[in-house]
Amino acid sequence: QVQLVESGGGSVQAGGSLRLSCAASGFPTYAYYMAWFRQAPGKEREGVATIASTRYADSVKGRFTISEDNAKNTLYLQMNSLKPEDTAMYYCAADRIDWGLLARYKYWGQGTQVTVSS
């Protein structure tokens, strides 16, 4: 049974940093394509970063870094220089198909909230 559990969200002031984690179970992370998404209230879910091709949304390039630890079956998102517009629920996703930054992944976590105040 595939399960994704995000953690590491919280409230931070603009300019601060957070590191999100996505613990995967039921499958080996090295065998799946994985990505981070976010969704702010009233907005569509947005692709943030994908690990396969290390691709980032333009809005986070140079500030966010995606990484994985296959030994721990965990995906990470290091977020630096956070801005109020980064406020959203952050989700990790996984699939055997490389959807890139499209929100078509089969498996999703429950999300972790990130709030950035000015």
Side-chain angles (χ1 to χ4, degrees), residues 20-33:
L20 305 184
S21 299
C22 172
S25 59
F27 71 98
T29 52
Y30 67 82
Y32 277 60
Y33 295 96

Side-chain angles (χ1 to χ4, degrees), residues 2-112:
V2 171
Q3 189 173 15
L4 301 169
V5 179
E6 302 94 335
S7 62
S11 297
V12 64
Q13 289 193 328
S17 299
L18 285 172
R19 188 176 82 152
L20 305 184
S21 299
C22 172
S25 59
F27 71 98
T29 52
Y30 67 82
Y32 277 60
Y33 295 96
M34 298 187 71
W36 285 99
F37 288 79
R38 66 186 182 186
Q39 188 167 20
K43 294 189 177 181
E44 292 187 356
R45 192 164 294 192
E46 171 192 23
V48 174
T50 176
I51 188 71
S53 52
T54 316
R55 194 186 321 167
Y56 297 92
D58 288 343
S59 58
V60 307
K61 281 180 182 177
R63 301 187 297 120
F64 290 11
T65 303
I66 190 171
S67 63
E68 65 181 346
D69 185 336
N70 290 326
K72 295 183 178 180
N73 232 37
T74 300
L75 183 73
Y76 300 99
L77 185 68
Q78 177 66 44
M79 306 186 296
N80 298 328
S81 302
L82 283 161
K83 304 175 181 181
E85 51 263 44
D86 294 319
T87 295
M89 185 71 79
Y90 283 72
Y91 301 89
C92 69
D95 202 331
R96 287 188 176 274
I97 300 171
D98 183 8
W99 294 106
L101 296 178
L102 296 176
R104 295 182 178 180
Y105 289 75
K106 182 175 182 179
Y107 303 105
W108 294 84
Q110 83 291 345
T112 186

